[in-house]
Amino acid sequence: MQIFQCDNCSHPVYFDNNICLKCHNTLGFDSKKLKMVSLRRNPENNLIETSTGNTYHYCKNHEHDVCNWVISDNEASQVCIACSLNRIIPDISRPEYLQRWKKIELAKHRLIYALLRWNFPIISKAVDYEKGLAFNFKSDSTMPDGLRVMTGHANGLITMNIAEADDVEREMARNNMDEVYRTVLGHFRHEIGHYYWERLIKESEYLVQFRALYGDETYSYQEALNQYYKNGAPANWNQNFISAYATMHPWESWAETWAHYMHIVDTLETAYFYGLTIDPKVHESVMVKSAEININAYDCKDFDTIFSYWLPLSFMMNSINRSMGLQDLYPFVINLNVKEKLRFIHNVIHKD
C-alpha cells in the first residue's frame, strides 16, 4: 500500500488514521480519489475538506471505530463501498467481538483498496444478487451443536470465522493446519480469488489457458477435498504449486496464486513509495539480486518487471526478519510453474 499524507500539513499518515498527529485535523479516506483527505468541522458541524471546501460525511460504521472512509455529501449513501458489502457482522455488544470485527474490517478495507486500484467493479449482492459480493463475519457461538463457522467462499458470499482475528486462535489454527503463513488479509485475498475466478475466468476466453496451467476444474471438488485431507499434498508439490493446499483442486491453486499476486503487488507498492533501492554489498559473483523499485506495481503492465523487483525484495525482507529472530516474512519459493501461473493472473487483471 502507498504512503498517505495529510493534505493540510503533508505529514505522513496511515491508511487507518482518523486524526493527523501533526496538525490534529480529522482524516478520512476518500475511495473515489483513493486519497486521505484532511477535514475540519464548520459551525454547523459539517465535515469540510481543508484543501477544497468539499463536504463529506463518515461511513456509518465510523461510530463503531471500524471504518475511517468518508463519502461526499453529494451522495446519499450512509455506508462506504467497503462496508456496503457486509451482510452479517459479529455481536458488537461483546467487546472482544467488536475488537475482532475492527481487525477484520481493516484487512477487508485493504482488500477493497487493491480492487479499486485495479478499477475492478465492486458490486454488492444487495444490488446484484447473482454477480455481487457480500461478507458474513460470524462466530462459532452462532452455530448449533458445537459446529464451527467455516471460512470460505460460495457464489460471491465470503464467510469468515471471527476467530481468525484473534492472534492466539489464528496461530493455533496455523499450527494445526501445518501452514507457514496465515493472516486475516491473506484469507481475504484467497477468498476474493475464488470470486474473481467466477467473474473473470469461468465463462471467458481465458478458460482454456486456465486449464492448461491449473488443471481441469470440473473434477469433483468434494472428492478432491476428501483426497487431500486423507492423503495430504504429494511429496513434490513445491515443484508446481505455491503451497501444499494449492494442490487440492485447480480452484484452490488459482485462489492461492491469486492471493500471492496480491501480496506481491501491494508490498511492492509500499516499497515504491518508500523509494526503496536494494543494492546488496556482496561480491558480484554471488547470486543476490539488486533492484531499484521505481515503478508502482499496481500500474505496471510488464509482469517480468514486477517479478524482477519481488525476488530481491522478498530476500531482503526475510533477511531482516531473521535479524530480529522472526520467521521469514515471505516463507515461499516461487518455482517456474508458479511464475507462469502468476503471469497468467497478471495478464487477466490487465486484460492482456
Side-chain angles (χ1 to χ4, degrees), residues 59-103:
C59 171
K60 183 179 179 181
N61 283 333
H62 180 70
E63 64 184 86
H64 303 299
D65 194 30
V66 300
C67 179
N68 69 334
W69 287 24
V70 290
I71 306 159
S72 170
D73 282 347
N74 294 326
E75 300 177 41
S77 177
Q78 295 302 302
V79 291
C80 70
I81 190 171
C83 291
S84 71
L85 305 174
N86 291 350
R87 195 171 79 168
I88 295 175
I89 64 169
D91 177 5
I92 59 175
S93 67
R94 298 179 61 169
E96 70 274 22
Y97 283 9
L98 176 59
Q99 288 306 307
R100 291 182 185 186
W101 185 36
K102 185 174 182 178
K103 288 184 179 180

mmCIF file of all heavy atoms in Angstrom, residues 59-103:
data_model
loop_
_atom_site.group_PDB
_atom_site.id
_atom_site.type_symbol
_atom_site.label_atom_id
_atom_site.label_comp_id
_atom_site.label_asym_id
_atom_site.label_seq_id
_atom_site.Cartn_x
_atom_site.Cartn_y
_atom_site.Cartn_z
ATOM 1 N N CYS A 59 -18.615 7.189 6.898
ATOM 2 C CA CYS A 59 -19.368 5.938 6.817
ATOM 3 C C CYS A 59 -20.038 5.671 8.162
ATOM 4 O O CYS A 59 -19.491 5.977 9.229
ATOM 5 C CB CYS A 59 -18.407 4.803 6.467
ATOM 6 S SG CYS A 59 -19.128 3.145 6.572
ATOM 7 N N LYS A 60 -21.209 5.103 8.126
ATOM 8 C CA LYS A 60 -21.974 4.825 9.350
ATOM 9 C C LYS A 60 -21.172 4.007 10.355
ATOM 10 O O LYS A 60 -21.324 4.160 11.571
ATOM 11 C CB LYS A 60 -23.276 4.105 8.986
ATOM 12 C CG LYS A 60 -24.187 3.826 10.161
ATOM 13 C CD LYS A 60 -25.460 3.122 9.701
ATOM 14 C CE LYS A 60 -26.369 2.802 10.885
ATOM 15 N NZ LYS A 60 -27.608 2.077 10.431
ATOM 16 N N ASN A 61 -20.300 3.126 9.874
ATOM 17 C CA ASN A 61 -19.545 2.267 10.792
ATOM 18 C C ASN A 61 -18.420 3.002 11.507
ATOM 19 O O ASN A 61 -17.747 2.420 12.367
ATOM 20 C CB ASN A 61 -18.992 1.054 10.046
ATOM 21 C CG ASN A 61 -20.060 0.016 9.787
ATOM 22 O OD1 ASN A 61 -21.034 -0.086 10.530
ATOM 23 N ND2 ASN A 61 -19.906 -0.749 8.715
ATOM 24 N N HIS A 62 -18.210 4.264 11.145
ATOM 25 C CA HIS A 62 -17.227 5.071 11.870
ATOM 26 C C HIS A 62 -17.594 5.183 13.344
ATOM 27 O O HIS A 62 -16.716 5.274 14.213
ATOM 28 C CB HIS A 62 -17.136 6.463 11.245
ATOM 29 C CG HIS A 62 -16.156 7.377 11.915
ATOM 30 N ND1 HIS A 62 -14.788 7.202 11.831
ATOM 31 C CD2 HIS A 62 -16.336 8.480 12.693
ATOM 32 C CE1 HIS A 62 -14.170 8.141 12.516
ATOM 33 N NE2 HIS A 62 -15.086 8.929 13.056
ATOM 34 N N GLU A 63 -18.896 5.168 13.647
ATOM 35 C CA GLU A 63 -19.333 5.298 15.040
ATOM 36 C C GLU A 63 -18.866 4.120 15.892
ATOM 37 O O GLU A 63 -18.796 4.229 17.122
ATOM 38 C CB GLU A 63 -20.849 5.426 15.122
ATOM 39 C CG GLU A 63 -21.614 4.211 14.637
ATOM 40 C CD GLU A 63 -23.115 4.424 14.636
ATOM 41 O OE1 GLU A 63 -23.640 4.947 13.634
ATOM 42 O OE2 GLU A 63 -23.754 4.059 15.645
ATOM 43 N N HIS A 64 -18.528 2.998 15.252
ATOM 44 C CA HIS A 64 -18.011 1.838 15.985
ATOM 45 C C HIS A 64 -16.478 1.771 15.926
ATOM 46 O O HIS A 64 -15.890 0.791 16.399
ATOM 47 C CB HIS A 64 -18.604 0.553 15.409
ATOM 48 C CG HIS A 64 -20.107 0.511 15.424
ATOM 49 N ND1 HIS A 64 -20.834 0.578 16.588
ATOM 50 C CD2 HIS A 64 -20.999 0.438 14.397
ATOM 51 C CE1 HIS A 64 -22.128 0.528 16.291
ATOM 52 N NE2 HIS A 64 -22.253 0.444 14.987
ATOM 53 N N ASP A 65 -15.856 2.770 15.325
ATOM 54 C CA ASP A 65 -14.399 2.846 15.197
ATOM 55 C C ASP A 65 -13.840 1.689 14.378
ATOM 56 O O ASP A 65 -12.753 1.187 14.642
ATOM 57 C CB ASP A 65 -13.733 2.892 16.585
ATOM 58 C CG ASP A 65 -12.264 3.311 16.523
ATOM 59 O OD1 ASP A 65 -11.918 4.076 15.599
ATOM 60 O OD2 ASP A 65 -11.475 2.875 17.383
ATOM 61 N N VAL A 66 -14.596 1.273 13.367
ATOM 62 C CA VAL A 66 -14.125 0.194 12.497
ATOM 63 C C VAL A 66 -13.932 0.665 11.049
ATOM 64 O O VAL A 66 -13.515 -0.119 10.194
ATOM 65 C CB VAL A 66 -15.076 -1.026 12.513
ATOM 66 C CG1 VAL A 66 -15.199 -1.597 13.917
ATOM 67 C CG2 VAL A 66 -16.445 -0.667 11.949
ATOM 68 N N CYS A 67 -14.234 1.929 10.762
ATOM 69 C CA CYS A 67 -14.118 2.442 9.400
ATOM 70 C C CYS A 67 -13.795 3.932 9.448
ATOM 71 O O CYS A 67 -14.429 4.681 10.203
ATOM 72 C CB CYS A 67 -15.419 2.210 8.625
ATOM 73 S SG CYS A 67 -15.376 2.848 6.923
ATOM 74 N N ASN A 68 -12.832 4.358 8.633
ATOM 75 C CA ASN A 68 -12.497 5.781 8.542
ATOM 76 C C ASN A 68 -12.732 6.333 7.139
ATOM 77 O O ASN A 68 -12.181 7.359 6.766
ATOM 78 C CB ASN A 68 -11.039 6.030 8.971
ATOM 79 C CG ASN A 68 -10.036 5.458 7.981
ATOM 80 O OD1 ASN A 68 -10.346 4.506 7.265
ATOM 81 N ND2 ASN A 68 -8.841 6.011 7.942
ATOM 82 N N TRP A 69 -13.547 5.636 6.344
ATOM 83 C CA TRP A 69 -13.812 6.092 4.978
ATOM 84 C C TRP A 69 -14.918 7.139 4.997
ATOM 85 O O TRP A 69 -15.861 7.062 5.808
ATOM 86 C CB TRP A 69 -14.199 4.918 4.084
ATOM 87 C CG TRP A 69 -13.017 4.033 3.760
ATOM 88 C CD1 TRP A 69 -11.880 3.899 4.492
ATOM 89 C CD2 TRP A 69 -12.875 3.161 2.636
ATOM 90 N NE1 TRP A 69 -11.024 2.991 3.891
ATOM 91 C CE2 TRP A 69 -11.605 2.539 2.752
ATOM 92 C CE3 TRP A 69 -13.679 2.853 1.547
ATOM 93 C CZ2 TRP A 69 -11.145 1.613 1.819
ATOM 94 C CZ3 TRP A 69 -13.225 1.930 0.604
ATOM 95 C CH2 TRP A 69 -11.969 1.325 0.738
ATOM 96 N N VAL A 70 -14.774 8.129 4.111
ATOM 97 C CA VAL A 70 -15.745 9.217 4.040
ATOM 98 C C VAL A 70 -16.446 9.206 2.684
ATOM 99 O O VAL A 70 -15.927 8.680 1.698
ATOM 100 C CB VAL A 70 -15.073 10.588 4.277
ATOM 101 C CG1 VAL A 70 -14.633 10.730 5.723
ATOM 102 C CG2 VAL A 70 -13.901 10.814 3.329
ATOM 103 N N ILE A 71 -17.640 9.793 2.678
ATOM 104 C CA ILE A 71 -18.498 9.813 1.498
ATOM 105 C C ILE A 71 -18.869 11.257 1.215
ATOM 106 O O ILE A 71 -19.203 12.017 2.138
ATOM 107 C CB ILE A 71 -19.768 8.981 1.750
ATOM 108 C CG1 ILE A 71 -19.405 7.560 2.204
ATOM 109 C CG2 ILE A 71 -20.658 8.939 0.512
ATOM 110 C CD1 ILE A 71 -20.524 6.850 2.939
ATOM 111 N N SER A 72 -18.801 11.646 -0.031
ATOM 112 C CA SER A 72 -19.185 13.002 -0.403
ATOM 113 C C SER A 72 -20.643 13.253 -0.042
ATOM 114 O O SER A 72 -21.502 12.372 -0.189
ATOM 115 C CB SER A 72 -18.983 13.217 -1.905
ATOM 116 O OG SER A 72 -19.561 14.439 -2.321
ATOM 117 N N ASP A 73 -20.940 14.466 0.435
ATOM 118 C CA ASP A 73 -22.324 14.813 0.742
ATOM 119 C C ASP A 73 -23.197 14.865 -0.506
ATOM 120 O O ASP A 73 -24.419 14.954 -0.404
ATOM 121 C CB ASP A 73 -22.374 16.161 1.474
ATOM 122 C CG ASP A 73 -22.007 16.041 2.943
ATOM 123 O OD1 ASP A 73 -21.960 14.908 3.449
ATOM 124 O OD2 ASP A 73 -21.776 17.080 3.597
ATOM 125 N N ASN A 74 -22.571 14.794 -1.682
ATOM 126 C CA ASN A 74 -23.344 14.718 -2.918
ATOM 127 C C ASN A 74 -23.951 13.328 -3.117
ATOM 128 O O ASN A 74 -24.784 13.145 -4.008
ATOM 129 C CB ASN A 74 -22.453 15.051 -4.120
ATOM 130 C CG ASN A 74 -21.987 16.496 -4.109
ATOM 131 O OD1 ASN A 74 -22.719 17.383 -3.666
ATOM 132 N ND2 ASN A 74 -20.782 16.741 -4.588
ATOM 133 N N GLU A 75 -23.510 12.372 -2.309
ATOM 134 C CA GLU A 75 -24.034 11.014 -2.381
ATOM 135 C C GLU A 75 -24.923 10.747 -1.175
ATOM 136 O O GLU A 75 -24.598 11.143 -0.056
ATOM 137 C CB GLU A 75 -22.890 9.999 -2.413
ATOM 138 C CG GLU A 75 -21.942 10.170 -3.600
ATOM 139 C CD GLU A 75 -20.795 9.183 -3.546
ATOM 140 O OE1 GLU A 75 -21.033 8.015 -3.193
ATOM 141 O OE2 GLU A 75 -19.660 9.586 -3.841
ATOM 142 N N ALA A 76 -26.004 10.038 -1.402
ATOM 143 C CA ALA A 76 -26.959 9.772 -0.316
ATOM 144 C C ALA A 76 -26.538 8.628 0.583
ATOM 145 O O ALA A 76 -27.026 8.503 1.710
ATOM 146 C CB ALA A 76 -28.329 9.476 -0.918
ATOM 147 N N SER A 77 -25.615 7.785 0.119
ATOM 148 C CA SER A 77 -25.245 6.589 0.872
ATOM 149 C C SER A 77 -24.694 6.932 2.249
ATOM 150 O O SER A 77 -23.940 7.899 2.422
ATOM 151 C CB SER A 77 -24.200 5.794 0.093
ATOM 152 O OG SER A 77 -23.781 4.669 0.841
ATOM 153 N N GLN A 78 -25.057 6.113 3.224
ATOM 154 C CA GLN A 78 -24.563 6.286 4.590
ATOM 155 C C GLN A 78 -23.458 5.293 4.939
ATOM 156 O O GLN A 78 -22.893 5.355 6.025
ATOM 157 C CB GLN A 78 -25.709 6.146 5.596
ATOM 158 C CG GLN A 78 -26.769 7.229 5.472
ATOM 159 C CD GLN A 78 -26.184 8.620 5.639
ATOM 160 O OE1 GLN A 78 -25.571 8.931 6.678
ATOM 161 N NE2 GLN A 78 -26.366 9.480 4.639
ATOM 162 N N VAL A 79 -23.176 4.376 4.035
ATOM 163 C CA VAL A 79 -22.084 3.422 4.245
ATOM 164 C C VAL A 79 -21.142 3.480 3.049
ATOM 165 O O VAL A 79 -21.574 3.691 1.912
ATOM 166 C CB VAL A 79 -22.579 1.975 4.470
ATOM 167 C CG1 VAL A 79 -23.279 1.837 5.801
ATOM 168 C CG2 VAL A 79 -23.478 1.524 3.334
ATOM 169 N N CYS A 80 -19.852 3.295 3.302
ATOM 170 C CA CYS A 80 -18.862 3.344 2.229
ATOM 171 C C CYS A 80 -18.970 2.091 1.365
ATOM 172 O O CYS A 80 -19.671 1.131 1.707
ATOM 173 C CB CYS A 80 -17.454 3.482 2.813
ATOM 174 S SG CYS A 80 -16.860 1.998 3.654
ATOM 175 N N ILE A 81 -18.243 2.096 0.267
ATOM 176 C CA ILE A 81 -18.310 0.969 -0.665
ATOM 177 C C ILE A 81 -17.826 -0.324 -0.023
ATOM 178 O O ILE A 81 -18.323 -1.411 -0.332
ATOM 179 C CB ILE A 81 -17.509 1.291 -1.947
ATOM 180 C CG1 ILE A 81 -17.777 0.236 -3.024
ATOM 181 C CG2 ILE A 81 -16.018 1.427 -1.647
ATOM 182 C CD1 ILE A 81 -17.206 0.607 -4.370
ATOM 183 N N ALA A 82 -16.871 -0.234 0.909
ATOM 184 C CA ALA A 82 -16.363 -1.439 1.579
ATOM 185 C C ALA A 82 -17.385 -1.988 2.568
ATOM 186 O O ALA A 82 -17.675 -3.192 2.595
ATOM 187 C CB ALA A 82 -15.044 -1.140 2.280
ATOM 188 N N CYS A 83 -17.969 -1.115 3.380
ATOM 189 C CA CYS A 83 -18.925 -1.565 4.394
ATOM 190 C C CYS A 83 -20.272 -1.943 3.792
ATOM 191 O O CYS A 83 -21.037 -2.695 4.413
ATOM 192 C CB CYS A 83 -19.102 -0.481 5.456
ATOM 193 S SG CYS A 83 -17.639 -0.229 6.503
ATOM 194 N N SER A 84 -20.572 -1.442 2.585
ATOM 195 C CA SER A 84 -21.839 -1.787 1.941
ATOM 196 C C SER A 84 -21.918 -3.270 1.588
ATOM 197 O O SER A 84 -22.997 -3.790 1.312
ATOM 198 C CB SER A 84 -22.026 -0.952 0.672
ATOM 199 O OG SER A 84 -21.129 -1.365 -0.353
ATOM 200 N N LEU A 85 -20.768 -3.955 1.604
ATOM 201 C CA LEU A 85 -20.726 -5.366 1.239
ATOM 202 C C LEU A 85 -21.038 -6.286 2.423
ATOM 203 O O LEU A 85 -21.204 -7.490 2.240
ATOM 204 C CB LEU A 85 -19.343 -5.716 0.673
ATOM 205 C CG LEU A 85 -18.864 -4.861 -0.504
ATOM 206 C CD1 LEU A 85 -17.430 -5.222 -0.863
ATOM 207 C CD2 LEU A 85 -19.783 -5.027 -1.711
ATOM 208 N N ASN A 86 -21.116 -5.728 3.624
ATOM 209 C CA ASN A 86 -21.362 -6.547 4.817
ATOM 210 C C ASN A 86 -22.804 -7.027 4.858
ATOM 211 O O ASN A 86 -23.742 -6.238 4.669
ATOM 212 C CB ASN A 86 -21.077 -5.748 6.093
ATOM 213 C CG ASN A 86 -19.605 -5.460 6.282
ATOM 214 O OD1 ASN A 86 -18.759 -5.995 5.567
ATOM 215 N ND2 ASN A 86 -19.286 -4.602 7.238
ATOM 216 N N ARG A 87 -22.963 -8.326 5.125
ATOM 217 C CA ARG A 87 -24.305 -8.880 5.309
ATOM 218 C C ARG A 87 -24.542 -9.274 6.767
ATOM 219 O O ARG A 87 -25.593 -8.994 7.331
ATOM 220 C CB ARG A 87 -24.518 -10.088 4.386
ATOM 221 C CG ARG A 87 -25.982 -10.479 4.263
ATOM 222 C CD ARG A 87 -26.211 -11.522 3.185
ATOM 223 N NE ARG A 87 -25.842 -12.852 3.670
ATOM 224 C CZ ARG A 87 -26.167 -13.990 3.019
ATOM 225 N NH1 ARG A 87 -26.827 -13.919 1.881
ATOM 226 N NH2 ARG A 87 -25.797 -15.152 3.502
ATOM 227 N N ILE A 88 -23.547 -9.928 7.366
ATOM 228 C CA ILE A 88 -23.630 -10.288 8.790
ATOM 229 C C ILE A 88 -22.360 -9.812 9.470
ATOM 230 O O ILE A 88 -21.254 -10.040 8.977
ATOM 231 C CB ILE A 88 -23.771 -11.816 8.975
ATOM 232 C CG1 ILE A 88 -25.104 -12.316 8.391
ATOM 233 C CG2 ILE A 88 -23.671 -12.192 10.450
ATOM 234 C CD1 ILE A 88 -25.261 -13.832 8.441
ATOM 235 N N ILE A 89 -22.522 -9.128 10.605
ATOM 236 C CA ILE A 89 -21.375 -8.722 11.420
ATOM 237 C C ILE A 89 -21.503 -9.385 12.790
ATOM 238 O O ILE A 89 -22.574 -9.873 13.157
ATOM 239 C CB ILE A 89 -21.282 -7.191 11.564
ATOM 240 C CG1 ILE A 89 -22.497 -6.638 12.324
ATOM 241 C CG2 ILE A 89 -21.141 -6.525 10.191
ATOM 242 C CD1 ILE A 89 -22.355 -5.177 12.733
ATOM 243 N N PRO A 90 -20.412 -9.414 13.573
ATOM 244 C CA PRO A 90 -20.485 -10.066 14.887
ATOM 245 C C PRO A 90 -21.383 -9.294 15.851
ATOM 246 O O PRO A 90 -21.770 -8.146 15.596
ATOM 247 C CB PRO A 90 -19.024 -10.040 15.374
ATOM 248 C CG PRO A 90 -18.206 -9.723 14.183
ATOM 249 C CD PRO A 90 -19.065 -8.938 13.259
ATOM 250 N N ASP A 91 -21.673 -9.926 16.959
ATOM 251 C CA ASP A 91 -22.427 -9.292 18.051
ATOM 252 C C ASP A 91 -21.505 -8.280 18.738
ATOM 253 O O ASP A 91 -20.706 -8.638 19.596
ATOM 254 C CB ASP A 91 -22.898 -10.358 19.040
ATOM 255 C CG ASP A 91 -23.626 -9.760 20.242
ATOM 256 O OD1 ASP A 91 -23.849 -8.540 20.256
ATOM 257 O OD2 ASP A 91 -23.936 -10.522 21.179
ATOM 258 N N ILE A 92 -21.609 -7.006 18.355
ATOM 259 C CA ILE A 92 -20.663 -5.999 18.851
ATOM 260 C C ILE A 92 -20.993 -5.521 20.264
ATOM 261 O O ILE A 92 -20.296 -4.667 20.806
ATOM 262 C CB ILE A 92 -20.558 -4.807 17.892
ATOM 263 C CG1 ILE A 92 -21.914 -4.134 17.688
ATOM 264 C CG2 ILE A 92 -19.973 -5.254 16.559
ATOM 265 C CD1 ILE A 92 -21.832 -2.870 16.841
ATOM 266 N N SER A 93 -22.045 -6.088 20.867
ATOM 267 C CA SER A 93 -22.277 -5.804 22.289
ATOM 268 C C SER A 93 -21.229 -6.512 23.148
ATOM 269 O O SER A 93 -21.048 -6.169 24.316
ATOM 270 C CB SER A 93 -23.679 -6.238 22.704
ATOM 271 O OG SER A 93 -23.817 -7.658 22.658
ATOM 272 N N ARG A 94 -20.534 -7.494 22.557
ATOM 273 C CA ARG A 94 -19.440 -8.179 23.234
ATOM 274 C C ARG A 94 -18.135 -7.491 22.843
ATOM 275 O O ARG A 94 -17.759 -7.495 21.661
ATOM 276 C CB ARG A 94 -19.406 -9.656 22.842
ATOM 277 C CG ARG A 94 -20.662 -10.407 23.238
ATOM 278 C CD ARG A 94 -20.617 -11.862 22.830
ATOM 279 N NE ARG A 94 -19.515 -12.589 23.443
ATOM 280 C CZ ARG A 94 -19.380 -13.921 23.405
ATOM 281 N NH1 ARG A 94 -20.291 -14.649 22.789
ATOM 282 N NH2 ARG A 94 -18.352 -14.500 23.970
ATOM 283 N N PRO A 95 -17.440 -6.846 23.794
ATOM 284 C CA PRO A 95 -16.247 -6.054 23.465
ATOM 285 C C PRO A 95 -15.191 -6.829 22.683
ATOM 286 O O PRO A 95 -14.558 -6.282 21.783
ATOM 287 C CB PRO A 95 -15.719 -5.624 24.839
ATOM 288 C CG PRO A 95 -16.912 -5.637 25.722
ATOM 289 C CD PRO A 95 -17.772 -6.766 25.226
ATOM 290 N N GLU A 96 -15.006 -8.120 23.002
ATOM 291 C CA GLU A 96 -13.984 -8.896 22.299
ATOM 292 C C GLU A 96 -14.368 -9.124 20.837
ATOM 293 O O GLU A 96 -13.506 -9.172 19.961
ATOM 294 C CB GLU A 96 -13.722 -10.230 23.001
ATOM 295 C CG GLU A 96 -14.837 -11.274 22.915
ATOM 296 C CD GLU A 96 -15.908 -11.117 23.994
ATOM 297 O OE1 GLU A 96 -16.038 -9.994 24.555
ATOM 298 O OE2 GLU A 96 -16.616 -12.109 24.264
ATOM 299 N N TYR A 97 -15.666 -9.217 20.568
ATOM 300 C CA TYR A 97 -16.117 -9.382 19.189
ATOM 301 C C TYR A 97 -15.980 -8.075 18.406
ATOM 302 O O TYR A 97 -15.684 -8.089 17.203
ATOM 303 C CB TYR A 97 -17.566 -9.863 19.150
ATOM 304 C CG TYR A 97 -17.748 -11.337 19.459
ATOM 305 C CD1 TYR A 97 -16.695 -12.121 19.938
ATOM 306 C CD2 TYR A 97 -18.985 -11.959 19.286
ATOM 307 C CE1 TYR A 97 -16.861 -13.463 20.220
ATOM 308 C CE2 TYR A 97 -19.166 -13.304 19.573
ATOM 309 C CZ TYR A 97 -18.100 -14.054 20.042
ATOM 310 O OH TYR A 97 -18.278 -15.381 20.323
ATOM 311 N N LEU A 98 -16.220 -6.963 19.091
ATOM 312 C CA LEU A 98 -16.035 -5.667 18.443
ATOM 313 C C LEU A 98 -14.582 -5.479 18.028
ATOM 314 O O LEU A 98 -14.289 -5.008 16.917
ATOM 315 C CB LEU A 98 -16.461 -4.533 19.383
ATOM 316 C CG LEU A 98 -16.236 -3.102 18.869
ATOM 317 C CD1 LEU A 98 -16.976 -2.870 17.564
ATOM 318 C CD2 LEU A 98 -16.659 -2.084 19.931
ATOM 319 N N GLN A 99 -13.639 -5.875 18.884
ATOM 320 C CA GLN A 99 -12.220 -5.756 18.556
ATOM 321 C C GLN A 99 -11.849 -6.673 17.391
ATOM 322 O O GLN A 99 -11.051 -6.305 16.527
ATOM 323 C CB GLN A 99 -11.361 -6.078 19.786
ATOM 324 C CG GLN A 99 -11.399 -4.992 20.850
ATOM 325 C CD GLN A 99 -11.023 -3.630 20.294
ATOM 326 O OE1 GLN A 99 -9.981 -3.463 19.666
ATOM 327 N NE2 GLN A 99 -11.870 -2.642 20.535
ATOM 328 N N ARG A 100 -12.422 -7.854 17.340
ATOM 329 C CA ARG A 100 -12.157 -8.760 16.218
ATOM 330 C C ARG A 100 -12.716 -8.178 14.923
ATOM 331 O O ARG A 100 -12.071 -8.248 13.866
ATOM 332 C CB ARG A 100 -12.759 -10.142 16.497
ATOM 333 C CG ARG A 100 -12.062 -10.897 17.618
ATOM 334 C CD ARG A 100 -12.667 -12.268 17.830
ATOM 335 N NE ARG A 100 -12.064 -12.942 18.982
ATOM 336 C CZ ARG A 100 -12.317 -14.185 19.342
ATOM 337 N NH1 ARG A 100 -13.176 -14.916 18.632
ATOM 338 N NH2 ARG A 100 -11.740 -14.725 20.402
ATOM 339 N N TRP A 101 -13.913 -7.616 15.013
ATOM 340 C CA TRP A 101 -14.505 -7.001 13.823
ATOM 341 C C TRP A 101 -13.639 -5.854 13.313
ATOM 342 O O TRP A 101 -13.464 -5.686 12.102
ATOM 343 C CB TRP A 101 -15.918 -6.520 14.136
ATOM 344 C CG TRP A 101 -16.658 -5.976 12.942
ATOM 345 C CD1 TRP A 101 -16.584 -6.425 11.651
ATOM 346 C CD2 TRP A 101 -17.571 -4.883 12.934
ATOM 347 N NE1 TRP A 101 -17.400 -5.678 10.838
ATOM 348 C CE2 TRP A 101 -18.022 -4.730 11.595
ATOM 349 C CE3 TRP A 101 -18.066 -4.027 13.924
ATOM 350 C CZ2 TRP A 101 -18.944 -3.741 11.231
ATOM 351 C CZ3 TRP A 101 -18.981 -3.057 13.557
ATOM 352 C CH2 TRP A 101 -19.405 -2.916 12.229
ATOM 353 N N LYS A 102 -13.077 -5.088 14.226
ATOM 354 C CA LYS A 102 -12.215 -3.974 13.818
ATOM 355 C C LYS A 102 -11.010 -4.481 13.028
ATOM 356 O O LYS A 102 -10.648 -3.922 11.988
ATOM 357 C CB LYS A 102 -11.758 -3.195 15.053
ATOM 358 C CG LYS A 102 -10.952 -1.945 14.727
ATOM 359 C CD LYS A 102 -10.660 -1.136 15.982
ATOM 360 C CE LYS A 102 -9.882 0.136 15.619
ATOM 361 N NZ LYS A 102 -9.625 0.973 16.822
ATOM 362 N N LYS A 103 -10.371 -5.556 13.498
ATOM 363 C CA LYS A 103 -9.232 -6.132 12.771
ATOM 364 C C LYS A 103 -9.658 -6.647 11.403
ATOM 365 O O LYS A 103 -8.958 -6.486 10.403
ATOM 366 C CB LYS A 103 -8.604 -7.274 13.587
ATOM 367 C CG LYS A 103 -7.821 -6.819 14.803
ATOM 368 C CD LYS A 103 -7.160 -8.020 15.471
ATOM 369 C CE LYS A 103 -6.350 -7.592 16.697
ATOM 370 N NZ LYS A 103 -5.699 -8.772 17.343
#
